[in-house]
Amino acid sequence: MADHDDGDLIAAIHALAHASVLVVGDLMLDRYVYGQVERVSPEAPVPILSVTREIAMPGGAGNVVRNLTALEAATAFVSVVGDDQEGSDLTALIGGQANVEPWLLVENGRATTVKTRYIASGQHLIRADRELVAPLPDKLGARLLKIAADAMAATSVTVLSDYGKGVLAPDVARALIASAKSIGRPVVVDPKGLDWSRYAGADVITPNRRELALATGMDLTTEAAIVAAARGLIERFGFGAVLCTRAEDGMSLVTATTERHYPAEAAEVYDVSGAGDTVVAVLAAGLAAGLSLEIAARLSNIAGGLVVGKVGTAVARPNDLIDAVKPTSGALRKVVTRQVAAEAAERWRQRGWRVGFTNGCFDLLHPGHIHLLEQCRAACDRLIVGINADRSVRRLKGATRPVQPEAARAAVLASLATVDLVVIYDEDTPIDVLELIRPDVLIKGADYTRDTVVGAREVESWGGRVMLADLLAGHSTTATVQRLRG
């Protein structure tokens, strides 16, 4: 099978935004509690975690949804939560995502699944789970099936994301696949457990190597063994294909008559959390966008390699995929969207690094700017610089500014060793960017006061600090422009 060239893959990546996917499965709340450990408890030989911040995000099938929305695919989501605060939190988190039509049913007496991870200096100390593993009551299951059947008609591919918590009990999974088949909708399944008869007739099933080994009872140390195991399941349960993820060994796509082994795309592996969800989401979006199974699998392999190179449950965005296929050269790699910057900032904080932020027009880079940026970088471990877009500069400085367009200003800043990322924003102030990135240090020049720094109150509210940097006398952009214009 011939490899696809970069142009084919980039066109395929752009097509993902036109996908529409239904996700049905187990939803859970992933909580991350970060802090520092500086002493051992006098009550027991355990570390004391001094908590600095907490983050909550949708997990399980909800992470598949997160990945689909990151690809800009239209997504319908059907799941169940408990009648508790965690269920309400998940409803708000899912509802706050773009391009999602959520149908989150509430089961009285059911505890919403919560996984809480306690982390210090990038190291997991412990994970605490709270959950109820039980099939849905008959009446609620029937309602879920009715809603899902209606959603199937409005979407192109159905994903069953089974985390073994009870939403996809055998009778429900079988009924969902039968409904999809009756209207010609392909089904992609991320399986759990040993009995895969519930997934019979699925078009693609996406186990990892361990799950495939448990389901077949085979030793899967070779590619030939994986192919044999996959074909045994294809013959037994009528699957169209098996896409087996193999961690550092890549993945294998097996049908009744073909096989394809994709090498791992990850340069480094930091965290495999949620990588399977990313693979499922990209594969399903690719199929929904009309891509061939082979191209969709190739993109899912690239996406999986991207997210395992990030710390924590991450997503792969179209720009990430494009850059992986055809990397941006040199300093321009540092010019990113605010969302990418926020994800990078979170990864840096998880490694115990302080994230700094400063902003301005940076119209003509001069010694005053260099002096400011050197102080910014000295105050943190990683520095993100926000710059006003051209329209924003014109509103703030007048019709004759900027002297240089935003792309040129961003490229010059990105070329500096003191700058780690550059974000362009169109608003007059960076407040929206600040609230997304949540820096630990906000730095501005000493011509400001703490009360006049935009975002100072917000940064201090999440435990950050505001720093006023010394200015280099006689150097300002306005004065430089005036001198140049004579």
Side-chain angles (χ1 to χ4, degrees), residues 10-21 67-75 99 281-282 284-291 299 317-319 321-322:
I10 290 172
I13 292 166
H14 287 303
L16 299 177
H18 302 292
S20 60
V21 179
N67 277 273
L68 285 165
T69 61
L71 298 171
E72 302 174 11
T75 309
N99 297 324
V282 175
L287 296 176
L291 305 182
L299 290 182
R317 301 181 184 280
N319 286 343
L321 293 168
I322 290 170

Side-chain angles (χ1 to χ4, degrees), residues 87-110:
S88 297
D89 292 344
L90 275 171
T91 300
L93 287 169
I94 295 293
Q97 297 185 63
N99 297 324
V100 177
E101 182 180 4
W103 296 89
L104 302 185
L105 309 181
V106 178
E107 180 185 349
N108 292 328
R110 188 180 192 93

Side-chain angles (χ1 to χ4, degrees), residues 338-375:
R338 63 185 66 184
Q339 186 62 50
V340 170
E343 291 171 359
E346 183 57 32
R347 294 196 300 274
W348 292 335
R349 279 191 291 267
Q350 289 175 17
R351 298 182 190 181
W353 297 340
R354 294 167 301 165
V355 179
F357 182 90
T358 192
N359 67 282
C361 298
F362 293 97
D363 199 356
L364 288 174
L365 202 65
H366 53 69
H369 287 141
I370 301 300
H371 183 65
L372 170 67
L373 293 170
E374 287 175 345
Q375 292 178 79

Side-chain angles (χ1 to χ4, degrees), residues 197-229:
S197 64
R198 71 182 69 185
Y199 313 127
D203 294 270
V204 188
I205 194 160
T206 64
N208 60 38
R209 177 160 44 194
R210 179 177 178 274
E211 291 166 339
L212 184 59
L214 289 173
T216 60
M218 296 176 63
D219 180 8
L220 304 183
T221 54
T222 66
E223 290 180 349
I226 289 172
V227 172

Side-chain angles (χ1 to χ4, degrees), residues 171-468:
D171 56 338
V172 173
R174 292 188 186 102
L176 287 167
I177 292 172
S179 292
K181 291 298 181 183
S182 70
I183 59 173
R185 297 296 189 266
V187 178
V188 177
V189 177
D190 188 4
K192 278 293 182 293
L194 301 179
D195 179 14
W196 289 6
S197 64
R198 71 182 69 185
Y199 313 127
D203 294 270
V204 188
I205 194 160
T206 64
N208 60 38
R209 177 160 44 194
R210 179 177 178 274
E211 291 166 339
L212 184 59
L214 289 173
T216 60
M218 296 176 63
D219 180 8
L220 304 183
T221 54
T222 66
E223 290 180 349
I226 289 172
V227 172
R231 287 192 174 145
L233 293 173
I234 289 170
E235 181 178 355
R236 184 178 178 188
F237 298 122
F239 300 142
V242 175
L243 181 65
C244 178
T245 56
R246 300 184 289 128
E248 69 276 4
D249 294 324
M251 61 173 56
S252 297
L253 177 64
V254 182
T255 70
T257 58
T258 64
E259 63 183 82
R260 178 71 185 266
H261 304 285
Y262 300 92
E265 296 278 354
E268 294 182 277
V269 176
Y270 289 108
D271 195 338
V272 298
S273 300
D277 298 327
T278 301
V279 168
V280 171
V282 175
L283 180 73
L287 296 176
L291 305 182
S292 70
L293 178 59
E294 291 77 13
I295 293 182
R298 171 79 188 279
L299 290 182
S300 70
N301 188 45
I302 294 170
L306 288 170
V307 299
V308 298
K310 302 177 181 181
V311 178
T313 304
V315 297
R317 301 181 184 280
N319 286 343
D320 297 328
L321 293 168
I322 290 170
D323 197 46
V325 171
K326 193 171 184 179
T328 303
S329 61
L332 291 180
R333 293 175 63 92
K334 295 183 184 179
V335 183
V336 300
T337 66
R338 63 185 66 184
Q339 186 62 50
V340 170
E343 291 171 359
E346 183 57 32
R347 294 196 300 274
W348 292 335
R349 279 191 291 267
Q350 289 175 17
R351 298 182 190 181
W353 297 340
R354 294 167 301 165
V355 179
F357 182 90
T358 192
N359 67 282
C361 298
F362 293 97
D363 199 356
L364 288 174
L365 202 65
H366 53 69
H369 287 141
I370 301 300
H371 183 65
L372 170 67
L373 293 170
E374 287 175 345
Q375 292 178 79
C376 292
R377 193 61 170 77
C380 61
D381 299 300
R382 292 293 183 271
L383 176 63
I384 300 173
V385 178
I387 67 169
N388 297 78
D390 291 346
R391 289 183 297 180
S392 176
V393 174
R394 281 192 288 272
R395 289 193 300 268
L396 295 171
K397 302 291 186 179
T400 61
R401 301 279 296 274
V403 176
Q404 297 190 95
E406 61 197 48
R409 292 183 282 126
V412 171
L413 282 169
S415 69
L416 300 177
T418 50
V419 176
D420 293 288
L421 292 178
V422 179
V423 176
I424 303 171
Y425 57 90
D426 196 51
E427 301 90 344
D428 289 347
T429 76
I431 189 65
D432 290 345
V433 178
L434 281 168
E435 290 182 340
L436 192 61
I437 294 174
R438 298 174 72 88
D440 304 294
V441 189
L442 173 60
I443 310 106
K444 291 293 288 183
D447 50 340
Y448 287 82
T449 66
R450 183 265 174 208
D451 291 336
T452 59
V453 173
V454 172
R457 181 173 54 190
E458 287 78 7
V459 169
E460 290 175 348
S461 73
W462 56 69
R465 67 185 181 93
V466 177
M467 170 184 157
L468 299 180

Side-chain angles (χ1 to χ4, degrees), residues 24-49:
V24 185
D26 298 296
L27 175 61
M28 59 190 69
L29 185 65
D30 281 343
R31 281 182 173 155
Y32 296 83
V33 180
Y34 298 97
Q36 298 295 327
V37 173
E38 297 177 347
R39 60 195 180 101
V40 175
S41 171
E43 302 166 1
V46 296
I48 296 175
L49 180 68

